[in-house]
Every structure is written in structure tokens, then in C-alpha cells.
Amino acid sequence: MVTERRKGERVTFERGIAAHMMGIDGTWRRDCTMEDISETGAKLTIEGSVEGLHLKEFFLLLSSTGLAYRRCELAWVNGDQIGVNFLKTGDKKKKAAARRSNADA
């Protein structure tokens, strides 16, 4: 039995939505298909190999012009599919502050 770990409701696309993944520094880009999405993340099918790509943090480009995008971190990998968590602005600062306060305790 599979346990659902997603926090928000999921929307599944019948045919998938064409999108692109791009490295934070812009040094790599991959075509992908967004299979489903929730408020907190998405499932992507990647075209081509992800080997050697820095997937800890990257952009998911949802428009051809790049004006609609989400900053992501890798959650899981299963073959050519990956799960991503969406990062909100300031998430890294909050995590770093939490680590500092835990270290002080």
C-alpha cells in the first residue's frame, strides 16, 4: 500500500504539460513533461539523461519565455521520472536560521 506524502491536493494532466528544467546558474537545460502538480511540488518525466546535472536546486520553466517558473529541489528519482518540491522565496534563509538556532541550543 502506497502512503500519500503530499501536503496539497494533486492535479494530474492527461497528456502532461511541456516544460523545461534549467540549472540555477543557467549552465544546463532539459526538456521535461509535468505529469502532475500540487501546491508544494510536481512529478516530471525527463527527456534525456539527468546524469551529471546539479539537481539539488534548479528552475522549472513553465513558459517558453521563462516568465513563469518555479524554483525547485529534487525530492526523489524513479527512472526517467523525478519528484520536485517547490521552494518559496526565503526558504533557504529560514532553513539556515533554524540550523543556527539549533546549533546555539
Side-chain angles (χ1 to χ4, degrees):
M1 184 171 175
V2 176
T3 304
E4 184 66 39
R5 293 179 292 186
R6 213 175 250 98
K7 293 176 188 165
E9 281 192 41
R10 175 181 9 181
V11 175
T12 301
F13 303 107
E14 191 173 311
R15 293 191 179 103
I17 303 291
H20 305 279
M21 298 166 52
M22 184 177 77
I24 294 291
D25 60 1
T27 58
W28 61 268
R29 185 174 171 135
R30 285 288 183 282
D31 291 335
C32 64
T33 302
M34 188 167 43
E35 304 295 342
D36 70 37
I37 190 167
S38 72
E39 188 177 326
T40 58
K43 178 168 67 172
L44 309 174
T45 299
I46 305 200
E47 296 179 24
S49 173
V50 295
E51 207 165 314
L53 299 181
H54 182 67
L55 291 175
K56 181 167 173 62
E57 199 170 319
F58 59 92
F59 290 113
L60 176 61
L61 307 175
L62 302 169
S63 70
S64 59
T65 59
L67 294 176
Y69 65 91
R70 294 299 303 259
R71 195 171 188 141
C72 302
E73 67 180 356
L74 182 66
W76 54 265
V77 178
N78 185 6
D80 65 346
Q81 292 191 325
I82 66 170
V84 299
N85 294 321
F86 297 140
L87 298 173
K88 295 184 179 104
T89 305
D91 272 0
K92 287 193 124 193
K93 292 176 188 171
K94 288 178 192 172
K95 287 179 184 176
R99 280 194 302 266
R100 281 194 301 272
S101 66
N102 288 340
D104 294 340

